[in-house]
Amino acid sequence: MSTTPLTAPARTGAPLRRLLALDAVVTGANALAYLALSGPLGRFLGIGSGLLLGLGAFLAVYAAGVGLLAARPHPPTAGVRGVVEANLAWTAASLLALALWLSPTTAGAVWVVLQALVVGGLALVQHQALKACQSSQV
């Protein structure tokens, strides 16, 4: 007789689902800010309002997709890997844009670096949570 409760798979996936939900909420908040306040934020950060509007629209769609994954009892591995890879790509693109293309204000440069580090860190803990889910299901 097994000592593992029947609810173990759901509990094991809970940290991953919480991380995905956190990703969706934070990304959605950024999307709303970029969409609603692109002019003032653009001036404060030294980043064009058109770019912020485009990023806001992209992030809104991305946040919705990540939210749908988070809502599933067992998010598919391929979907979670896609989120991890997208977050890593966002991190790299943010830092490259800062180095090669953007000319933000000091506040904008700090924002770009901080959000890149947060998104990269989130990708790493999402990856670890995915691995933990997979190893507990074996």
Side-chain angles (χ1 to χ4, degrees):
M1 181 168 163
S2 172
T3 59
T4 305
L6 293 176
T7 58
R11 260 191 246 133
T12 309
L16 176 58
R17 291 179 61 218
R18 281 194 297 271
L19 288 167
L20 291 169
L22 175 65
D23 192 344
V25 168
V26 171
T27 301
N30 275 335
L32 290 175
Y34 292 170
L35 289 169
L37 302 169
S38 63
L41 277 177
R43 288 186 295 278
F44 177 69
L45 300 173
I47 297 172
S49 62
L51 176 59
L52 290 180
L53 279 172
L55 289 173
F58 169 78
L59 291 174
V61 172
Y62 182 76
V66 175
L68 287 173
L69 273 177
R72 296 187 63 171
H74 302 286
T77 299
V80 177
R81 279 191 188 134
V83 168
V84 169
E85 290 170 4
N87 284 344
L88 291 174
W90 178 272
T91 299
S94 296
L95 297 174
L96 282 172
L98 182 59
L100 302 175
W101 179 48
L102 296 175
S103 299
T105 62
T106 301
V110 169
W111 172 250
V112 170
V113 171
L114 286 178
Q115 63 83 33
L117 292 174
V118 168
V119 172
L122 186 56
L124 293 176
V125 294
Q126 288 169 334
H127 176 71
Q128 291 171 338
L130 177 61
K131 283 175 50 176
C133 281
Q134 291 171 329
S135 66
S136 71
Q137 293 174 358
V138 175

